[in-house]
Coordinates of all heavy atoms in Angstrom, one line a residue:
M328 N -6.4 7.6 -8.3 CA -7.7 6.9 -8.5 C -8.9 7.8 -8.2 O -9.9 7.7 -8.8 CB -7.6 5.6 -7.7 CG -8.8 4.8 -7.9 SD -8.5 3.2 -7.2 CE -10.0 2.4 -7.4
I329 N -8.8 8.5 -7.1 CA -9.9 9.3 -6.6 C -10.3 10.3 -7.6 O -11.5 10.7 -7.7 CB -9.6 9.9 -5.2 CG1 -10.9 10.5 -4.6 CG2 -8.6 11.0 -5.3 CD1 -11.8 9.5 -4.1
K330 N -9.4 10.8 -8.5 CA -9.7 11.8 -9.5 C -10.2 11.2 -10.8 O -10.5 11.9 -11.7 CB -8.5 12.7 -9.7 CG -8.1 13.5 -8.4 CD -6.8 14.2 -8.6 CE -7.1 15.5 -9.2 NZ -5.9 16.3 -9.3
N331 N -10.3 9.9 -10.9 CA -10.8 9.2 -12.1 C -12.2 8.7 -11.8 O -12.5 7.7 -11.2 CB -9.9 8.0 -12.4 CG -10.3 7.3 -13.6 OD1 -11.4 7.2 -14.0 ND2 -9.3 6.7 -14.3
P332 N -13.2 9.5 -12.4 CA -14.6 9.1 -12.1 C -15.0 7.7 -12.5 O -15.7 7.0 -11.9 CB -15.4 10.1 -13.0 CG -14.5 11.3 -13.2 CD -13.1 10.7 -13.2
M333 N -14.4 7.2 -13.6 CA -14.7 5.8 -14.1 C -14.2 4.8 -13.0 O -14.9 3.8 -12.7 CB -14.1 5.5 -15.4 CG -14.5 4.1 -16.0 SD -13.8 3.8 -17.6 CE -14.9 4.9 -18.5
A334 N -13.0 5.0 -12.5 CA -12.4 4.1 -11.5 C -13.2 4.1 -10.2 O -13.5 3.1 -9.6 CB -11.0 4.5 -11.2
M335 N -13.7 5.3 -9.8 CA -14.5 5.4 -8.6 C -15.8 4.8 -8.8 O -16.4 4.1 -7.9 CB -14.6 6.9 -8.2 CG -13.3 7.5 -7.7 SD -12.4 6.5 -6.4 CE -13.6 6.5 -5.1
T336 N -16.4 4.9 -10.0 CA -17.7 4.2 -10.2 C -17.5 2.7 -10.1 O -18.4 2.1 -9.5 CB -18.2 4.6 -11.6 OG1 -18.4 6.1 -11.7 CG2 -19.5 3.9 -12.0
R337 N -16.5 2.2 -10.7 CA -16.2 0.8 -10.6 C -16.0 0.3 -9.2 O -16.4 -0.7 -8.8 CB -15.0 0.4 -11.5 CG -15.3 0.4 -13.0 CD -14.1 0.0 -13.8 NE -14.4 0.1 -15.2 CZ -13.5 0.4 -16.1 NH1 -12.3 0.6 -15.8 NH2 -13.9 0.4 -17.4
L338 N -15.2 1.1 -8.5 CA -14.9 0.8 -7.1 C -16.2 0.7 -6.3 O -16.5 -0.2 -5.5 CB -14.0 1.8 -6.5 CG -13.5 1.6 -5.1 CD1 -12.7 0.3 -5.0 CD2 -12.6 2.7 -4.6
R339 N -17.1 1.7 -6.4 CA -18.4 1.7 -5.7 C -19.3 0.6 -6.1 O -20.0 0.0 -5.3 CB -19.1 3.0 -5.9 CG -18.4 4.2 -5.2 CD -19.2 5.4 -5.2 NE -20.2 5.3 -4.2 CZ -21.3 6.1 -4.2 NH1 -21.5 7.0 -5.1 NH2 -22.2 6.0 -3.2
R340 N -19.2 0.2 -7.4 CA -20.0 -0.9 -7.9 C -19.6 -2.2 -7.3 O -20.4 -3.1 -7.1 CB -19.9 -1.0 -9.4 CG -20.9 -1.9 -10.0 CD -20.9 -2.0 -11.5 NE -20.6 -0.7 -12.2 CZ -19.8 -0.5 -13.2 NH1 -19.1 -1.5 -13.7 NH2 -19.6 0.7 -13.7
N341 N -18.3 -2.3 -7.0 CA -17.7 -3.6 -6.5 C -17.4 -3.6 -5.0 O -16.8 -4.6 -4.6 CB -16.5 -3.9 -7.4 CG -16.8 -4.2 -8.8 OD1 -17.6 -5.1 -9.1 ND2 -16.3 -3.4 -9.7
G342 N -17.6 -2.6 -4.3 CA -17.3 -2.6 -2.9 C -17.9 -1.4 -2.2 O -18.8 -0.7 -2.8
V343 N -17.5 -1.1 -1.0 CA -17.9 0.0 -0.2 C -16.8 0.9 0.0 O -15.7 0.6 0.3 CB -18.4 -0.5 1.2 CG1 -18.8 0.6 2.1 CG2 -19.5 -1.6 1.1
V344 N -17.0 2.2 -0.4 CA -16.0 3.2 -0.2 C -16.1 3.9 1.1 O -17.2 4.4 1.5 CB -16.1 4.3 -1.4 CG1 -15.1 5.4 -1.2 CG2 -16.0 3.6 -2.7
V345 N -15.1 3.8 1.9 CA -15.1 4.3 3.3 C -14.1 5.5 3.3 O -13.0 5.4 2.9 CB -14.6 3.3 4.3 CG1 -14.6 3.9 5.7 CG2 -15.5 2.1 4.3
F346 N -14.7 6.7 3.7 CA -13.9 7.9 3.8 C -13.5 8.1 5.2 O -14.3 8.3 6.1 CB -14.7 9.1 3.3 CG -14.1 10.4 3.5 CD1 -12.7 10.6 3.6 CD2 -14.9 11.6 3.4 CE1 -12.2 11.9 3.8 CE2 -14.4 12.8 3.6 CZ -13.0 13.0 3.8
L347 N -12.2 7.9 5.5 CA -11.6 8.2 6.8 C -11.2 9.6 6.9 O -10.1 10.0 6.4 CB -10.4 7.2 7.1 CG -10.8 5.7 7.0 CD1 -9.5 4.9 7.2 CD2 -11.8 5.3 7.9
D348 N -12.1 10.4 7.4 CA -11.9 11.9 7.4 C -11.1 12.4 8.6 O -11.7 12.5 9.7 CB -13.3 12.6 7.4 CG -13.2 14.1 7.1 OD1 -12.1 14.6 6.8 OD2 -14.3 14.7 7.3
K349 N -9.9 12.7 8.4 CA -9.0 13.2 9.5 C -8.6 14.6 9.2 O -8.4 15.0 8.1 CB -7.7 12.3 9.6 CG -6.8 12.7 10.8 CD -5.7 11.7 10.9 CE -4.8 12.0 12.1 NZ -3.8 11.0 12.3
D350 N -8.6 15.4 10.2 CA -8.2 16.8 10.1 C -6.8 16.9 9.4 O -5.9 16.4 10.0 CB -8.2 17.5 11.4 CG -8.0 19.0 11.4 OD1 -7.4 19.5 10.4 OD2 -8.3 19.7 12.3
Y351 N -6.8 17.5 8.3 CA -5.5 17.6 7.6 C -4.4 18.3 8.4 O -3.2 18.0 8.2 CB -5.7 18.2 6.2 CG -5.9 19.7 6.1 CD1 -4.9 20.6 6.1 CD2 -7.2 20.2 6.1 CE1 -5.1 21.9 6.1 CE2 -7.4 21.5 6.0 CZ -6.4 22.4 6.0 OH -6.6 23.8 6.0
R352 N -4.8 19.2 9.3 CA -3.8 19.9 10.1 C -3.0 18.9 11.0 O -1.8 19.1 11.2 CB -4.4 21.0 10.8 CG -4.8 22.2 9.9 CD -5.7 23.2 10.7 NE -7.0 22.7 11.0 CZ -8.1 23.0 10.4 NH1 -8.1 23.8 9.4 NH2 -9.2 22.4 10.7
K353 N -3.7 17.9 11.4 CA -3.1 16.8 12.2 C -2.1 16.0 11.4 O -1.1 15.6 11.8 CB -4.1 15.9 12.9 CG -4.9 16.6 14.0 CD -5.9 15.7 14.6 CE -6.7 16.4 15.7 NZ -7.7 15.6 16.3
I354 N -2.5 15.8 10.1 CA -1.7 15.1 9.2 C -0.4 15.9 8.9 O 0.7 15.4 8.8 CB -2.4 14.7 7.9 CG1 -3.6 13.8 8.3 CG2 -1.5 14.0 6.9 CD1 -4.6 13.5 7.1
M355 N -0.6 17.2 8.7 CA 0.5 18.1 8.4 C 1.6 18.1 9.5 O 2.7 18.2 9.3 CB 0.0 19.6 8.3 CG -0.8 19.8 7.0 SD -1.5 21.5 7.0 CE -0.1 22.5 6.9
A356 N 1.1 17.8 10.8 CA 2.1 17.8 11.9 C 2.8 16.4 12.0 O 3.7 16.3 12.8 CB 1.3 18.0 13.2
S357 N 2.4 15.5 11.2 CA 3.0 14.1 11.2 C 4.3 14.1 10.4 O 4.5 15.0 9.6 CB 2.1 13.1 10.6 OG 0.8 13.1 11.2
D358 N 5.1 13.2 10.7 CA 6.3 12.9 9.9 C 6.0 12.0 8.8 O 5.9 10.8 8.9 CB 7.4 12.3 10.8 CG 8.7 12.1 10.1 OD1 9.0 12.8 9.1 OD2 9.5 11.2 10.5
I359 N 5.8 12.6 7.6 CA 5.4 11.8 6.4 C 6.6 11.5 5.6 O 7.3 12.5 5.2 CB 4.3 12.6 5.6 CG1 3.1 12.9 6.5 CG2 3.9 11.9 4.4 CD1 2.1 13.8 5.9
R360 N 6.7 10.3 5.2 CA 7.9 9.9 4.4 C 7.4 9.0 3.3 O 6.3 8.3 3.4 CB 8.9 9.1 5.2 CG 9.5 9.9 6.3 CD 10.3 9.1 7.2 NE 10.7 9.9 8.4 CZ 11.8 9.8 9.0 NH1 12.8 8.9 8.5 NH2 12.1 10.5 10.0
N361 N 8.1 9.0 2.2 CA 7.9 8.1 1.1 C 6.5 8.3 0.4 O 5.8 7.3 0.1 CB 8.1 6.6 1.5 CG 9.5 6.3 2.0 OD1 10.4 6.8 1.4 ND2 9.6 5.6 3.1
R362 N 6.1 9.5 0.4 CA 4.8 9.8 -0.3 C 5.1 10.8 -1.4 O 5.4 11.9 -1.2 CB 3.8 10.5 0.7 CG 3.4 9.7 1.9 CD 2.7 8.4 1.5 NE 1.5 8.7 0.7 CZ 0.3 8.3 1.1 NH1 0.1 7.7 2.3 NH2 -0.7 8.6 0.4
P363 N 5.1 10.3 -2.7 CA 5.6 11.1 -3.8 C 4.8 12.5 -3.9 O 5.4 13.4 -4.3 CB 5.3 10.2 -5.0 CG 5.2 8.9 -4.5 CD 4.7 9.0 -3.1
L364 N 3.5 12.5 -3.6 CA 2.8 13.7 -3.8 C 2.9 14.7 -2.5 O 2.4 15.8 -2.6 CB 1.3 13.4 -4.0 CG 1.0 12.7 -5.3 CD1 -0.5 12.4 -5.4 CD2 1.5 13.4 -6.5
I365 N 3.5 14.2 -1.5 CA 3.7 15.0 -0.3 C 5.1 15.1 0.1 O 5.8 14.2 0.6 CB 2.9 14.3 0.9 CG1 1.4 14.2 0.6 CG2 3.1 15.1 2.2 CD1 0.6 13.4 1.6
Q366 N 5.6 16.3 -0.2 CA 7.0 16.7 0.1 C 7.1 17.7 1.2 O 8.2 17.9 1.8 CB 7.7 17.2 -1.1 CG 7.7 16.2 -2.3 CD 8.4 14.9 -1.9 OE1 9.5 14.9 -1.3 NE2 7.8 13.8 -2.2
S367 N 6.0 18.3 1.6 CA 6.0 19.3 2.6 C 4.6 19.4 3.2 O 3.6 18.9 2.7 CB 6.3 20.7 2.0 OG 5.2 21.1 1.2
P368 N 4.4 20.0 4.4 CA 3.1 20.2 5.0 C 2.1 21.0 4.1 O 0.9 20.7 4.1 CB 3.4 21.0 6.3 CG 4.8 20.6 6.6 CD 5.5 20.5 5.3
A369 N 2.7 21.9 3.3 CA 1.8 22.6 2.3 C 1.2 21.7 1.3 O 0.0 21.9 0.9 CB 2.6 23.7 1.6
D370 N 1.9 20.6 0.9 CA 1.3 19.6 0.0 C 0.1 18.9 0.6 O -0.8 18.6 0.0 CB 2.4 18.6 -0.4 CG 3.5 19.2 -1.3 OD1 3.2 20.2 -1.9 OD2 4.6 18.6 -1.2
V371 N 0.2 18.6 1.9 CA -0.9 18.0 2.6 C -2.1 18.9 2.6 O -3.2 18.4 2.2 CB -0.5 17.7 4.1 CG1 -1.8 17.2 4.9 CG2 0.6 16.7 4.2
E372 N -2.0 20.1 2.9 CA -3.1 21.1 2.8 C -3.7 21.2 1.4 O -4.9 21.1 1.2 CB -2.7 22.4 3.3 CG -3.8 23.4 3.3 CD -3.4 24.8 3.9 OE1 -2.3 25.2 3.7 OE2 -4.2 25.3 4.6
R373 N -2.8 21.3 0.4 CA -3.3 21.4 -0.9 C -4.1 20.2 -1.4 O -5.2 20.3 -1.9 CB -2.1 21.7 -1.9 CG -2.5 21.7 -3.4 CD -1.2 21.9 -4.2 NE -0.2 20.9 -4.0 CZ -0.2 19.6 -4.4 NH1 -1.2 19.2 -5.1 NH2 0.8 18.8 -4.1
L374 N -3.6 19.0 -1.1 CA -4.2 17.8 -1.5 C -5.6 17.6 -0.7 O -6.6 17.2 -1.3 CB -3.3 16.6 -1.3 CG -2.2 16.4 -2.3 CD1 -1.3 15.3 -1.8 CD2 -2.7 16.2 -3.7
A375 N -5.5 18.0 0.6 CA -6.7 17.8 1.4 C -7.8 18.7 0.9 O -9.0 18.3 0.7 CB -6.4 18.1 2.8
L376 N -7.5 20.0 0.6 CA -8.5 20.9 0.1 C -9.1 20.5 -1.3 O -10.2 20.7 -1.6 CB -8.0 22.3 0.1 CG -7.7 22.9 1.5 CD1 -7.0 24.2 1.4 CD2 -8.9 22.9 2.4
E377 N -8.2 20.0 -2.1 CA -8.6 19.6 -3.4 C -9.4 18.3 -3.4 O -10.4 18.2 -4.1 CB -7.3 19.3 -4.2 CG -7.5 18.7 -5.6 CD -6.2 18.4 -6.3 OE1 -5.2 19.2 -6.2 OE2 -6.1 17.3 -6.8
R378 N -9.1 17.3 -2.5 CA -9.7 16.0 -2.6 C -10.9 15.9 -1.7 O -11.7 15.0 -1.9 CB -8.6 15.0 -2.3 CG -7.6 14.9 -3.3 CD -6.6 13.8 -3.0 NE -5.6 13.6 -4.0 CZ -4.7 12.7 -4.0 NH1 -4.6 11.9 -3.0 NH2 -3.9 12.6 -5.1
H379 N -11.0 16.6 -0.6 CA -12.1 16.5 0.3 C -13.4 16.4 -0.3 O -14.2 15.5 0.0 CB -12.0 17.5 1.4 CG -12.8 17.2 2.6 ND1 -14.2 17.5 2.7 CD2 -12.5 16.6 3.8 CE1 -14.6 17.1 3.8 NE2 -13.7 16.5 4.5
P380 N -13.8 17.3 -1.2 CA -15.1 17.3 -1.9 C -15.3 16.0 -2.7 O -16.4 15.5 -2.8 CB -15.1 18.5 -2.7 CG -14.1 19.4 -2.3 CD -13.0 18.5 -1.6
I381 N -14.2 15.5 -3.3 CA -14.3 14.3 -4.1 C -14.5 13.1 -3.2 O -15.4 12.2 -3.5 CB -13.0 14.1 -4.9 CG1 -12.8 15.3 -5.8 CG2 -13.1 12.8 -5.7 CD1 -11.4 15.3 -6.5
Y382 N -13.8 13.0 -2.0 CA -14.0 12.0 -1.1 C -15.5 12.0 -0.6 O -16.1 10.9 -0.5 CB -13.1 12.1 0.1 CG -11.6 11.9 -0.2 CD1 -10.7 12.7 0.5 CD2 -11.2 10.9 -1.1 CE1 -9.3 12.5 0.3 CE2 -9.8 10.8 -1.3 CZ -8.9 11.5 -0.6 OH -7.6 11.3 -0.9
E383 N -16.0 13.1 -0.3 CA -17.4 13.3 0.2 C -18.3 12.7 -0.9 O -19.3 12.1 -0.6 CB -17.7 14.7 0.5 CG -17.0 15.3 1.7 CD -17.8 15.1 2.9 OE1 -18.9 14.6 2.9 OE2 -17.3 15.5 4.0
R384 N -18.1 13.1 -2.1 CA -19.0 12.7 -3.2 C -19.1 11.2 -3.4 O -20.1 10.6 -3.6 CB -18.5 13.3 -4.5 CG -19.4 12.9 -5.7 CD -19.0 13.6 -7.0 NE -18.3 14.8 -6.9 CZ -17.1 15.0 -7.6 NH1 -16.6 14.1 -8.4 NH2 -16.5 16.1 -7.4
Y385 N -17.9 10.5 -3.3 CA -17.9 9.0 -3.6 C -18.1 8.1 -2.3 O -18.3 6.9 -2.5 CB -16.6 8.7 -4.3 CG -16.5 9.2 -5.7 CD1 -15.7 10.2 -6.0 CD2 -17.4 8.6 -6.7 CE1 -15.6 10.6 -7.3 CE2 -17.3 9.1 -8.0 CZ -16.4 10.1 -8.3 OH -16.4 10.5 -9.6
A386 N -18.0 8.7 -1.1 CA -18.0 7.9 0.1 C -19.4 7.2 0.3 O -20.4 7.9 0.2 CB -17.6 8.7 1.3
D387 N -19.4 5.9 0.5 CA -20.6 5.3 1.0 C -20.7 5.4 2.5 O -21.8 5.5 3.0 CB -20.6 3.8 0.6 CG -20.5 3.5 -0.9 OD1 -21.4 4.1 -1.6 OD2 -19.6 2.8 -1.4
V388 N -19.6 5.4 3.1 CA -19.5 5.5 4.6 C -18.5 6.6 4.9 O -17.4 6.6 4.3 CB -19.1 4.2 5.2 CG1 -18.9 4.3 6.7 CG2 -20.2 3.1 4.9
K389 N -18.8 7.5 5.9 CA -17.8 8.5 6.3 C -17.6 8.3 7.8 O -18.5 8.2 8.6 CB -18.3 9.9 6.0 CG -17.3 11.0 6.5 CD -17.9 12.3 6.2 CE -17.0 13.4 6.7 NZ -17.6 14.7 6.6
V390 N -16.3 8.3 8.2 CA -15.9 8.2 9.6 C -14.9 9.3 9.9 O -13.9 9.4 9.2 CB -15.3 6.8 9.9 CG1 -14.9 6.8 11.4 CG2 -16.3 5.7 9.6
E391 N -15.3 10.2 10.9 CA -14.3 11.2 11.3 C -13.3 10.6 12.2 O -13.7 10.0 13.2 CB -15.1 12.4 12.0 CG -15.8 13.2 11.0 CD -16.3 14.5 11.6 OE1 -15.6 15.1 12.4 OE2 -17.4 14.9 11.2
I392 N -12.1 10.8 12.0 CA -11.0 10.3 12.8 C -10.7 11.3 13.8 O -10.0 12.3 13.6 CB -9.7 9.9 11.9 CG1 -10.1 9.1 10.8 CG2 -8.7 9.3 12.8 CD1 -10.7 7.7 11.1
T393 N -11.1 11.1 15.1 CA -10.9 12.0 16.1 C -10.3 11.4 17.4 O -9.7 12.0 18.2 CB -12.2 12.8 16.5 OG1 -13.2 11.8 16.9 CG2 -12.8 13.6 15.4
G394 N -10.7 10.1 17.6 CA -10.3 9.4 18.8 C -9.2 8.4 18.7 O -8.3 8.5 17.8
R395 N -9.3 7.5 19.5 CA -8.3 6.4 19.6 C -8.6 5.4 18.5 O -9.7 5.3 18.0 CB -8.3 5.7 20.9 CG -7.9 6.7 22.0 CD -8.0 6.2 23.4 NE -8.0 4.7 23.4 CZ -8.1 4.0 24.4 NH1 -8.3 4.5 25.6 NH2 -8.1 2.6 24.4
H396 N -7.6 4.6 18.1 CA -7.7 3.6 17.1 C -8.9 2.6 17.4 O -9.6 2.2 16.5 CB -6.4 2.8 16.9 CG -5.3 3.6 16.3 ND1 -5.4 4.2 15.0 CD2 -4.1 4.0 16.8 CE1 -4.3 4.9 14.8 NE2 -3.5 4.8 15.9
E397 N -9.0 2.1 18.6 CA -10.0 1.2 19.0 C -11.4 1.7 18.8 O -12.3 1.1 18.2 CB -9.8 0.7 20.4 CG -8.6 0.0 20.7 CD -8.2 -0.1 22.2 OE1 -8.9 0.5 23.0 OE2 -7.2 -0.7 22.5
E398 N -11.6 3.0 19.1 CA -12.9 3.6 18.9 C -13.2 3.8 17.5 O -14.3 3.6 17.0 CB -12.9 5.0 19.6 CG -12.8 4.9 21.1 CD -12.4 6.3 21.7 OE1 -12.2 7.3 21.0 OE2 -12.3 6.4 23.0
T399 N -12.2 4.2 16.7 CA -12.4 4.4 15.3 C -12.7 3.1 14.6 O -13.6 3.0 13.7 CB -11.1 5.0 14.7 OG1 -10.8 6.3 15.3 CG2 -11.2 5.2 13.2
T400 N -12.0 2.0 15.0 CA -12.3 0.7 14.4 C -13.7 0.3 14.6 O -14.4 -0.2 13.7 CB -11.3 -0.3 14.9 OG1 -10.0 0.1 14.6 CG2 -11.5 -1.7 14.3
K401 N -14.2 0.5 15.9 CA -15.6 0.1 16.2 C -16.6 1.0 15.4 O -17.6 0.5 15.0 CB -15.8 0.3 17.7 CG -15.1 -0.8 18.5 CD -15.4 -0.5 20.0 CE -14.6 -1.6 20.8 NZ -14.7 -1.3 22.3
E402 N -16.3 2.2 15.2 CA -17.2 3.1 14.5 C -17.2 2.7 13.0 O -18.3 2.7 12.4 CB -16.7 4.6 14.6 CG -17.7 5.5 13.9 CD -17.3 7.0 14.0 OE1 -16.4 7.3 14.8 OE2 -18.0 7.8 13.4
I403 N -16.0 2.4 12.4 CA -16.0 1.9 11.0 C -16.9 0.7 10.9 O -17.7 0.5 10.0 CB -14.6 1.6 10.6 CG1 -13.8 3.0 10.5 CG2 -14.5 0.9 9.2 CD1 -12.3 2.8 10.4
E404 N -16.6 -0.3 11.8 CA -17.4 -1.5 11.7 C -18.9 -1.3 11.8 O -19.7 -1.8 11.1 CB -16.9 -2.5 12.9 CG -17.6 -3.8 12.8 CD -17.0 -4.7 13.9 OE1 -15.8 -4.7 14.2 OE2 -17.8 -5.5 14.5
A405 N -19.3 -0.5 12.8 CA -20.7 -0.2 13.0 C -21.3 0.5 11.7 O -22.4 0.2 11.3 CB -20.9 0.7 14.2
K406 N -20.6 1.4 11.1 CA -21.1 2.2 10.0 C -21.2 1.3 8.7 O -22.1 1.4 7.9 CB -20.3 3.4 9.7 CG -20.6 4.5 10.7 CD -20.0 5.8 10.4 CE -20.5 6.9 11.4 NZ -20.0 8.2 11.0
I407 N -20.3 0.3 8.6 CA -20.3 -0.6 7.5 C -21.5 -1.5 7.7 O -22.2 -1.8 6.7 CB -19.0 -1.3 7.3 CG1 -17.9 -0.4 6.8 CG2 -19.1 -2.5 6.4 CD1 -16.5 -0.9 6.7
H408 N -21.7 -2.0 8.9 CA -22.9 -2.9 9.1 C -24.2 -2.1 8.8 O -25.1 -2.7 8.2 CB -22.9 -3.4 10.6 CG -21.9 -4.5 10.8 ND1 -22.1 -5.8 10.3 CD2 -20.8 -4.6 11.5 CE1 -21.1 -6.5 10.7 NE2 -20.3 -5.8 11.4
A409 N -24.3 -0.9 9.3 CA -25.4 -0.1 9.0 C -25.6 0.1 7.5 O -26.8 0.1 7.0 CB -25.3 1.2 9.7
Y410 N -24.6 0.3 6.8 CA -24.6 0.5 5.3 C -25.2 -0.7 4.7 O -26.2 -0.7 3.9 CB -23.2 0.8 4.8 CG -23.2 0.8 3.3 CD1 -23.6 1.9 2.5 CD2 -22.9 -0.4 2.6 CE1 -23.6 1.9 1.1 CE2 -22.9 -0.4 1.2 CZ -23.2 0.7 0.5 OH -23.2 0.7 -0.9
F411 N -24.7 -1.9 5.1 CA -25.2 -3.1 4.5 C -26.7 -3.4 4.9 O -27.5 -4.0 4.1 CB -24.3 -4.3 4.8 CG -23.1 -4.4 3.9 CD1 -21.9 -4.2 4.5 CD2 -23.2 -4.6 2.5 CE1 -20.7 -4.2 3.7 CE2 -22.1 -4.6 1.7 CZ -20.8 -4.4 2.3
D412 N -27.0 -3.1 6.1 CA -28.4 -3.2 6.6 C -29.4 -2.4 5.7 O -30.5 -2.8 5.4 CB -28.6 -2.9 8.0 CG -28.0 -3.9 9.0 OD1 -27.7 -5.0 8.5 OD2 -27.8 -3.5 10.2
R413 N -29.0 -1.2 5.4 CA -29.8 -0.3 4.5 C -29.9 -0.8 3.1 O -30.8 -0.5 2.4 CB -29.2 1.1 4.5 CG -29.4 1.9 5.8 CD -29.0 3.4 5.6 NE -27.8 3.6 4.9 CZ -26.6 3.7 5.6 NH1 -26.5 3.6 6.9 NH2 -25.5 4.0 4.9
H414 N -28.8 -1.5 2.6 CA -28.8 -1.9 1.2 C -29.1 -3.4 1.0 O -28.8 -3.9 -0.1 CB -27.4 -1.5 0.6 CG -27.3 0.0 0.5 ND1 -26.7 0.7 1.6 CD2 -27.6 0.9 -0.4 CE1 -26.7 2.0 1.2 NE2 -27.2 2.1 0.0
R415 N -29.6 -4.0 2.0 CA -30.0 -5.4 1.9 C -31.2 -5.6 1.0 O -32.2 -4.9 1.2 CB -30.3 -5.9 3.3 CG -30.4 -7.5 3.4 CD -30.5 -7.9 4.8 NE -29.3 -7.4 5.5 CZ -29.0 -7.7 6.7 NH1 -29.7 -8.6 7.3 NH2 -28.0 -7.2 7.3
P416 N -31.1 -6.6 0.1 CA -32.3 -6.8 -0.8 C -33.5 -7.3 -0.1 O -33.5 -7.8 0.9 CB -31.8 -7.8 -1.8 CG -30.4 -8.2 -1.4 CD -30.0 -7.4 -0.2

């Protein structure tokens, strides 16, 4: 979907696109299963490098994933609220 400009335009028109930006090297170190496009750590790197600029382009909100889940959840919530405050009619 991320590689389909028409789909992304529709998604942005009908919602808020949140980019959860996590260092792909941390993802590479994870035990990833049942992901058709990811069969090896090299696949994670390839997809990350290919898609990162696309995610940046379409994101309404970007959150870097660096800390604990609770902190990340609070940051996502705060940034979504800020987004809606900026785009309030």
Side-chain angles (χ1 to χ4, degrees):
M328 184 166 171
I329 191 74
K330 294 173 90 177
N331 181 328
M333 184 178 288
M335 292 308 299
T336 299
R337 287 183 181 148
L338 186 61
R339 288 188 80 197
R340 189 178 322 135
N341 294 303
V343 178
V344 177
V345 179
F346 173 20
L347 302 177
D348 188 10
K349 184 173 183 176
D350 184 339
Y351 72 86
R352 290 171 290 256
K353 291 180 181 179
I354 298 170
M355 288 172 69
S357 306
D358 183 23
I359 300 170
R360 297 173 190 215
N361 300 318
R362 300 297 302 242
L364 296 179
I365 301 174
Q366 301 300 314
S367 71
D370 292 336
V371 173
E372 182 176 38
R373 177 182 51 78
L374 287 171
L376 295 175
E377 173 186 316
R378 293 179 176 188
H379 195 275
I381 301 169
Y382 293 143
E383 290 271 358
R384 180 178 336 132
Y385 288 112
D387 296 307
V388 174
K389 178 182 174 184
V390 177
E391 285 192 41
I392 307 300
T393 57
R395 298 175 22 183
H396 292 296
E397 294 163 359
E398 295 165 358
T399 300
T400 302
K401 287 178 183 177
E402 184 177 352
I403 293 167
E404 185 177 324
K406 287 189 174 186
I407 289 174
H408 282 291
Y410 171 85
F411 281 115
D412 287 345
R413 286 191 312 273
H414 293 88
R415 190 174 303 192

